[in-house]
Amino acid sequence: MSNITAAITAVGGYVPEYVLSNKVLETMVDTNDEWITTRTGIKERRLLKEKGKGTSYLGIKAAEDLIQKIDLDPTTIDLVIFATATPDMPVASSGAYLASQIGAKNAFSYDLQAACSSFLYGMSTAASYVQSGRYKKVLLVGADKMSSIIDYTDRATCIIFGDGGGAVLFEPNEDGLGLQDEILRSDGIGREFLKIDAGGSILPASEETVANKQHFVQQDGKTVFKFAVSNMADVSASIMERNNLTNEDVSWLVAHQANKRIIDATARRMNLDESKVLMNIQRYGNTTSATLPLLLHDYEKKLKRGDNLIFASFGGGFTWGSIYLKWAYNS
């Protein structure tokens, strides 16, 4: 039996046209460009403003970008996994709708939700399907319309988040490239520190919950920051140690784009030079499930076959982890 690994063979991405800059935010809430930049590294973020368009639109555009780039026949896709924290609507699967819209009529599909770690967990899931030998083409899409759950009078959250989508294709590889190892973790203690109170089964929507703004993201910033810095750095260092990787062996850090200080702390723990850290937080902010694939999309031309990539993420719940992947192609 051949030793099959699961490799990323294509990447796509999409961000909306509308730019919400720090300068514009200064006119909306009590904040300023210097304060935002110093504490988060964010200069602007993209928002999907068109009425009637939800997260699936962002994912569809990213998937279509991937399909067009490699001239992929969507009917050959076996499975579509849609990583998102902001599905179009409750109950109805956004992944099923996305798969139909891109023409993946032979694929089954579903949503995967683990807050900002959704795409990272999706990588593990997609790779497992491929490595099992059961499916050969698994499309993993990560997208979020965070603007739909953000209170733009709350300066603690509205400066952080943006909208976007990204997609990758996982396929079998017999050259030892692709996903090598993973460390995935979760801890329910995080439930109280990063959440939306209402709209779920505990507190269904009502006039009162709407009036109290309980359908927007709430975050205890200091607590989340503390947990994110320690946990994301820990798993990234651990996966290097477990695979006998030095800082020279690591080609790129592909880290969740929540806060530049968290990314910098992770890189320092890995003893990585800043030149090896992929960063686009300044342009997009935190796009939640889209951050990791958007990094791959933006930096695809720099990635070389055999490069060692360390992925890292941290999200509400809490959820976090790190994945070691060998890049499979030259763009």
Side-chain angles (χ1 to χ4, degrees), residues 34-329:
E34 182 183 6
W35 193 92
I36 297 171
T37 305
T38 301
R39 284 161 179 78
T40 68
I42 302 168
K43 300 294 287 186
E44 57 188 38
R45 64 291 289 147
R46 302 295 187 94
L47 304 188
L48 180 60
K49 302 284 279 188
E50 291 88 345
K51 288 185 178 180
K53 292 182 178 178
T55 298
S56 65
Y57 176 80
L58 301 167
I60 289 165
K61 297 291 282 187
E64 288 175 343
D65 179 52
L66 181 153
I67 288 167
Q68 291 165 6
K69 277 163 67 174
I70 64 169
D71 195 23
L72 174 68
D73 178 358
T75 65
T76 64
I77 298 171
D78 300 306
L79 163 62
V80 176
I81 301 173
F82 195 5
T84 183
T86 56
D88 288 356
M89 58 184 73
V91 183
S93 168
S94 296
Y97 177 72
L98 181 148
S100 295
Q101 291 299 110
I102 63 172
K105 64 181 182 180
N106 295 317
F108 75 100
S109 57
Y110 58 85
D111 299 355
L112 190 158
Q113 206 280 71
C116 292
S117 301
S118 297
F119 190 85
L120 188 82
Y121 284 17
M123 290 177 65
S124 171
T125 307
S128 296
Y129 276 116
V130 171
Q131 288 171 327
S132 73
R134 187 166 293 179
Y135 304 112
K136 296 191 180 300
K137 293 183 188 294
V138 178
L139 181 68
L140 172 62
V141 180
D144 273 301
K145 184 183 176 182
M146 293 303 294
S147 61
S148 66
I149 56 172
I150 296 300
D151 176 5
Y152 284 93
T153 66
D154 175 17
R155 68 174 183 174
T157 55
C158 73
I159 66 171
I160 299 170
F161 296 97
D163 304 338
V168 301
L169 183 67
F170 274 93
E171 294 186 275
N173 185 278
E174 295 183 355
D175 298 323
L177 303 170
L179 198 147
Q180 306 293 307
D181 195 12
E182 63 182 44
I183 300 175
L184 305 179
R185 297 285 184 266
S186 63
D187 188 341
I189 192 175
R191 182 175 169 118
E192 295 303 312
F193 303 114
L194 179 53
K195 61 180 178 176
I196 295 176
D197 277 330
S201 59
I202 294 176
L203 189 61
S206 66
E207 290 184 13
E208 184 180 3
T209 62
V210 173
N212 292 337
K213 297 186 175 183
Q214 289 175 281
H215 296 269
F216 293 124
V217 169
Q218 299 174 34
Q219 175 174 275
D220 179 341
K222 289 184 179 179
T223 302
V224 173
F225 181 87
K226 181 182 72 174
F227 273 90
V229 166
S230 60
N231 287 325
M232 213 163 94
D234 282 350
V235 289
S236 301
S238 294
I239 207 162
M240 286 177 63
E241 182 179 354
R242 196 158 83 177
N243 291 276
N244 298 313
L245 297 171
T246 68
N247 61 329
E248 293 183 358
D249 297 322
V250 175
S251 307
W252 305 101
L253 170 62
V254 189
H256 175 54
Q257 305 287 290
N259 185 301
K260 187 177 183 296
R261 291 185 294 164
I262 298 173
I263 302 167
D264 289 343
T266 302
R268 284 195 299 271
R269 180 71 181 276
M270 299 167 67
N271 197 25
L272 276 190
D273 187 78
E274 188 178 342
S275 63
K276 292 186 172 185
V277 180
L278 303 188
M279 192 96 67
N280 59 16
I281 189 172
Q282 67 277 12
R283 296 196 301 277
Y284 307 142
N286 181 354
T287 56
T288 307
S289 307
T291 61
L292 299 182
L294 275 176
L295 282 172
L296 297 178
H297 174 259
D298 286 0
Y299 287 91
E300 185 181 15
K301 290 182 179 178
K302 289 194 172 187
L303 307 179
K304 301 290 186 291
R305 178 182 167 89
D307 278 357
N308 291 319
L309 276 59
I310 301 295
F311 291 79
S313 192
F314 184 89
F318 291 124
T319 61
W320 72 96
S322 182
I323 283 178
Y324 165 34
L325 178 138
K326 280 186 173 292
W327 198 248
Y329 66 95

Side-chain angles (χ1 to χ4, degrees), residues 7-24:
I8 291 175
T9 58
V11 175
Y14 175 78
V15 290
E17 291 183 6
Y18 179 81
V19 177
L20 178 60
S21 67
N22 290 348
K23 289 295 182 183
V24 174

